[in-house]
Amino acid sequence: MKGNELRQAYLQFFESKGHLKLDSFSLIPENDPSLLLIGAGMAPLKPFFTGKLVPPCHRITTSQKCMRTGDLENVGRTARHHTFFEMLGNFSFGDYFKKEAIHWAWEFLTEVIKLDKNRLYVTVYPDDQEAYDTWHNDCGVEESHITRLEDNFWEIGEGPCGPDSEIFFDQGPEHGCDDPNCAPGCDCDRYLEIWNLVFTQFNKMPDGSYEPLQHKNIDTGAGLERLASVLQGCKTNFETDLIFPIIEATAKRAGVTYNENPNTDVSLKVIADHARAVTALISDGVLPSNEGRGYVLRRILRRAVRHGRLLGIEGIFLTPLIDVVVDILGPGIKSIAEKQDFVKRVVQNEEERFNQTLEQGLELLNSLIDTLAAEKATVVPGTEVFKLYDTYGFPWELTEEIASERGFTIDHEGFEAAMKEQRERAREARVKEDAKVATPDITFLKDEELLEDEAVTASSVLMIGKGSERLQTAADGDEITVIVRTTPFHAEGGGQLGDTGFIVGPMGKVEVHNTKRLPEGTVYHIGTVVEGSISEGDDVTLEVDTNRRAAMARNHTATHLLHAALKKVLGEHVNQAGSLVTPDYLRFDFTHFSPVTQEELDQIEALVNEEILKATDLAIAEMSMDEAKAKGAMALFGDKYGDVVRVVEVPGFSVELCGGSHVGNTAFISSFRLTSEAGIGSGVRRIEAITGCAALDAAKHDRLTIERMAGELKTKAPQVEERLHQVLAEAKETAKELEQIRKEVSAAGAADIIAGKVMIGDVAFVAAAVKASSIDELRDLADMGLDILAGSGVVLVGAAMGDDKVNFVCKVSKDVVAKGAKAGNIVKAAAQVAGGNGGGRPDMAQAGGKEPAKLSEALKAGGEALTSMLQ
């Protein structure tokens, strides 16, 4: 049975048992900050297990994409370790329990995929007699095939937990150890765990006791790759049809044969595993970076590239393997098939970037290790590990792996210290407002008292805070936070700045500098008392800076139009990676892997302006998340959404989930103008743009600039471009004439230089003080001098360039280099006399000094250095 057939058989079997089949969830956890990546089949379903969310069905089955990198160094060296794998699972949320889970697992293994019952073994928790009896009495598993193990209990601190039961397949004594007591649970490869059934039936209390759960759950997991290896009779997961075609493609590219050399096999397996992981991560929206999930991706991608080098592969090789991965996994995992081209573009971009620095980094590391070995050291200093990371993009794990191959360890503490110093420097270099404002305890406030309404102009003060202190009254000059019963101020969020304005009470006025929202949703105003005083309970008038808000609304709606236009022009792979909406301009970061051409920028700008000119009314409504998805609304990863969401739609063009301020009709944006486009990271671009008055002011500025240029060029504005081309052409011609004159003067000077030629043995040597305004001119004179010497000899020229600067250039012909002359040593000897230093290649070198008065003495020293080399 092929891997895709096995996955389908499993899901269909549990569908027949009343389970709802769900597609694999993304590897990026949704609203779960405790997880970096999904590492188990049950992880995306945690809210159903904890009761926070009601499941769509109390029986669910999935084949879940999983990612684990905790033991990366074992990938390729063992039969079963992977970074990416699929976990087959069937789950019950307060529905069926232990007996059904055991019966169905046995039925699937023995009747559907027809494994030999005599080769199946199970383990149970010693106190779980119910599981033991179900296996033995109901399923007919012999007592000799059931083992009681203390480890068969699943728990993580306090909370839901319970016993589990594991199913093993006996691969035969040839895979085992020599221990006569070898049984399931042994560390050898004979008994392969293929399924784990977790019976969540207790709640662990703070005092360590266990209370029965009212609603018992089932959480199971069966490794797709492991089951495939059993069914296909493979020694390892890597030989299954889920992975082996990638190994074959890599071996063909490298010109090697699998299963001939252990080291070669490790590299082939690493590349195959990592190609799958890279494809899955990128197709789920992870992009290479130096932090978080992006770092995991970059780390394994670069590890794969390095193993390609170990196989002797040069150039791009990982990118074509993505096609092989998609051929294998695409039929069963929609996201992988849909994002094939996008994944390849990301991988190629990252692979090219890493290839540019890999050779330099490896050379530096190997040279460093050679030096350390000569010094009898065994540890690579943390500062050097950091340098490789910071300059050459080497993850510290890659440096550690390479160092380990040569018998070295790395200084982790030193590396962390260097990283910390860099973070401190970066933090000091950034000047930004602290997003966290201390607020007093607000638990006394009732949710129903806290309202938001853009139309309201009057309200009452519910609380005043200064730092973490609650105030009854704030006086002139106090910097405070204010919470009112109903606010028209829009809170900062979704990239949009918070509203500003005034809160005016009977005794004073507060200038609002920003409006923010606490994590639980309460809107608060940050401001300064600028007149009199304000007290808790005051009836107040609320004055939002409506001009500022209107400018932000124009920019915010334009951001939505820009996002849609980018997708239309560049492709559906474009996704928002960040944004900023201010009154003055908008900034939009997005995923894309090459600079946006001027032609594409023109198309994008034109599309947005077309929508503005259509004067389309926006449709803004609140609805359920399911309704929003049905409308095709784009949600931003990382943003949290409740059951009811706000959908902002420009009919026929853009639909997004958004809580920000927007215009009522696209015509209110007036005009849209792109001002810049640039890359800000691997695969992330940034566009900045302006709208409304800012766009009109920019157009006016451009017009005035052109008119001033026309005056300077003595022409009319429409002819500025033509006249400018004429001026530039004339300037270019003049520059050519000047360069020719300079060369003629230099040639005459070079001829004068040669008049001072001397012979040192059979080598012609010229040392001369010359006039030159730049090091380039000095190099030209040296070249001309060597040409006049018929290309054989040594030329050393020096020129004073100011009161405290002298430069030297030395050229040595190849035949003289062969006799032992080195330009670097000659020029160094000269420069040291003139208070400087320098060096270079044997055939050409340059140097500088600080004492022009010693120029003649320095040239003489250069000649002496040459004489000693030729003796």
Side-chain angles (χ1 to χ4, degrees):
M1 184 179 282
K2 301 294 184 183
N4 286 326
E5 296 170 340
L6 174 58
R7 183 196 301 110
Q8 188 66 15
Y10 182 93
L11 296 173
Q12 287 179 345
F13 173 79
F14 281 100
E15 276 189 295
S16 74
K17 304 299 183 184
H19 290 66
L20 172 66
K21 181 186 75 172
L22 296 180
D23 291 335
S24 174
F25 292 84
S26 170
L27 285 167
I28 301 174
E30 184 177 354
N31 296 330
D32 188 349
S34 67
L35 295 176
L36 187 66
L37 292 163
I38 295 297
M42 62 79 63
L45 306 174
K46 274 168 55 176
F48 303 147
F49 282 110
T50 60
K52 288 184 178 179
L53 292 177
V54 177
C57 177
H58 289 282
R59 298 181 182 187
I60 284 176
T61 184
T62 63
S63 179
Q64 176 61 42
K65 297 173 290 187
C66 298
M67 185 73 61
R68 295 179 187 175
T69 58
D71 48 5
L72 193 64
E73 67 280 355
N74 285 325
V75 174
R77 302 183 186 280
T78 70
R80 315 290 169 199
H81 274 97
H82 299 294
T83 54
F84 171 80
F85 60 95
E86 288 185 72
M87 185 69 76
L88 303 168
N90 57 285
F91 309 94
S92 168
F93 310 105
D95 188 16
Y96 66 83
F97 196 51
K98 200 171 297 184
K99 285 184 178 292
E100 292 89 343
I102 292 174
H103 276 279
W104 290 335
W106 188 252
E107 181 183 348
F108 179 76
L109 291 174
T110 61
E111 297 182 24
V112 177
I113 63 175
K114 303 187 183 303
L115 293 184
D116 184 351
K117 296 179 181 180
N118 295 319
R119 298 179 70 175
L120 293 174
Y121 290 74
V122 296
T123 60
V124 298
Y125 185 63
D127 295 341
D128 192 356
Q129 192 61 40
E130 182 184 1
Y132 186 98
D133 291 342
T134 303
W135 282 116
H136 180 53
N137 298 331
D138 296 359
C139 299
V141 179
E142 297 178 11
E143 291 186 353
S144 61
H145 282 223
I146 305 176
T147 304
R148 296 180 187 266
L149 290 178
E150 286 288 343
D151 288 343
N152 282 100
F153 196 92
W154 184 89
E155 65 179 356
I156 303 178
E158 298 172 19
C161 58
D164 63 77
S165 181
E166 297 170 318
I167 307 172
F168 294 81
F169 181 80
D170 182 3
Q171 299 191 94
E174 65 275 14
H175 292 271
C177 56
D178 296 328
D179 188 342
N181 297 317
C182 180
C186 180
D187 289 336
C188 72
D189 287 336
R190 175 169 180 174
Y191 297 98
L192 175 65
E193 181 194 341
I194 56 174
W195 205 328
N196 187 19
L197 314 176
V198 180
F199 313 124
T200 311
Q201 62 188 93
F202 299 113
N203 188 35
K204 187 175 183 180
M205 307 303 292
D207 62 2
S209 61
Y210 296 89
E211 291 186 356
L213 284 173
Q214 181 180 357
H215 299 293
K216 298 176 174 62
N217 302 318
I218 288 293
D219 163 23
T220 79
L224 175 64
E225 292 81 5
R226 290 193 177 198
L227 276 177
S229 72
V230 169
L231 288 173
Q232 296 171 20
C234 301
K235 291 182 180 180
T236 75
N237 294 356
F238 291 94
E239 277 102 52
T240 67
D241 73 309
L242 292 168
I243 304 175
F244 195 64
I246 312 170
I247 290 178
E248 288 181 309
T250 308
K252 182 178 180 181
R253 172 69 187 274
V256 299
T257 302
Y258 181 71
N259 214 18
E260 281 190 355
N261 181 305
N263 292 330
T264 296
D265 288 352
V266 167
S267 291
L268 289 170
K269 291 175 183 177
V270 167
I271 292 168
D273 171 272
H274 290 7
R276 285 165 33 104
V278 163
T279 304
L281 282 168
I282 297 172
S283 66
D284 277 346
V286 180
L287 295 172
S289 72
N290 285 334
E291 294 181 344
R293 302 177 185 95
Y295 180 67
V296 172
L297 171 60
R298 173 165 284 170
R299 178 184 169 193
I300 59 177
L301 192 154
R302 293 187 168 187
R303 191 168 186 262
V305 172
R306 186 198 164 240
H307 275 276
R309 289 294 184 93
L310 292 178
L311 291 174
I313 301 175
E314 297 290 336
I316 300 296
F317 77 93
L318 192 59
T319 304
L321 291 180
I322 304 306
D323 292 330
V324 183
V325 176
V326 174
D327 286 344
I328 298 168
L329 297 178
I333 305 177
K334 292 180 182 177
S335 61
I336 285 178
E338 291 169 352
K339 298 292 181 68
Q340 182 172 358
D341 291 339
F342 175 61
V343 172
K344 289 177 69 176
R345 292 177 70 180
V346 177
V347 173
Q348 180 164 341
N349 183 70
E350 185 71 9
E351 197 173 357
E352 287 174 346
R353 284 165 57 94
F354 189 47
N355 276 334
Q356 290 171 3
T357 58
L358 180 60
E359 203 64 52
Q360 290 175 287
L362 286 173
E363 185 177 332
L364 181 64
L365 179 57
N366 287 324
S367 175
L368 173 64
I369 291 175
D370 287 341
T371 301
L372 292 171
E375 297 171 354
K376 307 298 183 184
T378 59
V379 180
V380 180
T383 52
E384 296 295 338
V385 177
F386 175 75
K387 180 180 179 182
L388 283 163
Y389 165 81
D390 195 44
T391 306
Y392 298 98
F394 271 45
W396 66 261
E397 298 90 348
L398 179 57
T399 301
E400 183 174 47
E401 184 175 328
I402 297 169
S404 176
E405 291 169 0
R406 301 209 33 198
F408 281 74
T409 58
I410 68 170
D411 172 19
H412 287 275
E413 290 185 5
F415 172 75
E416 288 299 330
M419 281 289 289
K420 184 178 180 181
E421 286 180 16
Q422 186 199 50
R423 293 191 190 105
E424 288 299 327
R425 288 194 299 271
R427 190 175 293 115
E428 290 170 6
R430 290 193 302 264
V431 179
K432 65 177 186 178
E433 179 185 2
D434 185 357
K436 296 181 179 178
V437 175
T439 57
D441 179 16
I442 61 167
T443 53
F444 71 94
L445 297 175
K446 298 178 182 178
D447 289 344
E448 58 270 20
E449 291 183 326
L450 301 169
L451 304 174
E452 297 175 51
D453 184 350
E454 288 190 0
V456 77
T457 57
S459 187
S460 58
V461 176
L462 295 180
M463 195 209 74
I464 300 171
K466 186 174 184 180
S468 58
E469 178 187 0
R470 181 179 173 187
L471 302 179
Q472 288 300 313
T473 299
D476 193 359
D478 284 344
E479 295 183 359
I480 58 174
T481 57
V482 182
I483 296 176
V484 298
R485 186 177 302 279
T486 305
T487 181
F489 286 77
H490 187 277
E492 180 181 291
Q496 180 176 321
L497 299 182
D499 276 342
T500 62
F502 293 94
I503 299 174
V504 183
M507 302 298 292
K509 178 188 287 189
V510 176
E511 183 176 358
V512 177
H513 308 307
N514 202 354
T515 307
K516 296 196 176 188
R517 190 184 302 274
L518 293 172
E520 41 67 58
T522 301
V523 173
Y524 63 97
H525 312 81
I526 303 168
T528 303
V529 182
V530 292
E531 290 179 16
S533 63
I534 187 167
S535 300
E536 190 174 295
D538 279 355
D539 290 327
V540 292
T541 300
L542 303 167
E543 301 174 359
V544 176
D545 185 339
T546 53
N547 289 333
R548 181 176 180 274
R549 174 188 280 175
M552 286 197 292
R554 285 192 288 270
N555 284 336
H556 204 152
T557 304
T559 301
H560 286 215
L561 297 178
L562 172 61
H563 192 182
L566 285 165
K567 282 183 172 289
K568 291 178 186 298
V569 174
L570 303 181
E572 285 298 319
H573 66 275
V574 168
N575 283 304
Q576 182 172 335
S579 71
L580 176 65
V581 176
T582 78
D584 305 314
Y585 73 101
L586 66 91
R587 187 178 75 206
F588 189 77
D589 300 339
F590 58 100
T591 55
H592 190 57
F593 296 92
S594 60
V596 185
T597 67
Q598 187 58 53
E599 182 181 357
E600 290 169 334
L601 289 172
D602 291 344
Q603 290 180 45
I604 292 162
E605 189 176 74
L607 267 175
V608 174
N609 280 305
E610 283 175 19
E611 288 303 314
I612 292 170
L613 292 173
K614 286 179 181 177
T616 305
D617 287 333
L618 271 70
I620 301 176
E622 292 188 344
M623 61 189 70
S624 70
M625 177 61 86
D626 288 341
E627 289 175 306
K629 287 180 177 178
K631 288 180 73 70
M634 288 188 286
L636 302 182
F637 169 72
D639 281 9
K640 296 183 178 181
Y641 302 101
D643 294 332
V644 177
V645 294
R646 183 170 181 257
V647 177
V648 176
E649 180 179 6
V650 180
F653 196 75
S654 167
V655 188
E656 291 194 33
L657 304 185
C658 183
S661 301
H662 289 275
V663 298
N665 183 290
T666 59
F668 285 104
I669 299 171
S670 178
S671 62
F672 173 86
R673 180 169 178 170
L674 295 175
T675 56
S676 69
E677 190 279 335
I680 59 169
S682 177
V684 180
R685 311 292 301 178
R686 170 172 290 173
I687 276 181
E688 293 187 355
I690 50 178
T691 66
C693 294
L696 295 174
D697 287 344
K700 180 180 178 181
H701 176 270
D702 289 349
R703 178 176 59 78
L704 293 175
T705 299
I706 291 172
E707 288 176 355
R708 283 195 299 272
M709 289 175 63
E712 293 288 336
L713 294 169
K714 295 180 172 53
T715 188
K716 294 181 179 180
Q719 283 79 49
V720 163
E721 185 175 5
E722 181 182 350
R723 177 62 182 141
L724 181 60
H725 287 317
Q726 289 176 354
V727 171
L728 290 174
E730 291 168 3
K732 187 175 181 181
E733 190 61 34
T734 301
K736 281 183 181 180
E737 292 172 1
L738 288 173
E739 178 64 16
Q740 183 60 36
I741 292 170
R742 188 186 69 80
K743 286 182 178 180
E744 290 172 1
V745 171
S746 295
D752 292 340
I753 292 168
I754 299 305
K757 180 181 75 172
V758 297
M759 298 300 295
I760 301 177
D762 60 350
V763 174
F765 173 60
V766 173
V770 299
K771 291 183 179 180
S773 59
S774 68
I775 194 72
D776 289 338
E777 193 172 339
L778 203 56
R779 279 196 294 266
D780 288 344
L781 284 167
D783 283 334
M784 292 176 187
L786 197 57
D787 288 341
I788 295 173
L789 290 176
S792 176
V794 178
V795 176
L796 173 63
V797 290
M801 297 181 185
D803 295 335
D804 60 353
K805 187 177 181 182
V806 59
N807 285 318
F808 301 91
V809 171
C810 182
K811 291 283 183 101
V812 181
S813 60
K814 291 184 179 179
D815 60 313
V816 180
V817 170
K819 294 179 180 180
K822 293 182 179 178
N825 292 354
I826 296 170
V827 83
K828 182 176 182 180
Q832 286 177 339
V833 170
N837 213 331
R841 304 191 308 268
D843 62 332
M844 197 287 283
Q846 61 189 48
K850 300 177 181 178
E851 301 177 54
K854 294 185 179 181
L855 177 54
S856 296
E857 187 181 341
L859 293 171
K860 182 180 178 182
E864 291 170 353
L866 174 61
T867 301
S868 64
M869 292 176 200
L870 298 176
Q871 286 177 348

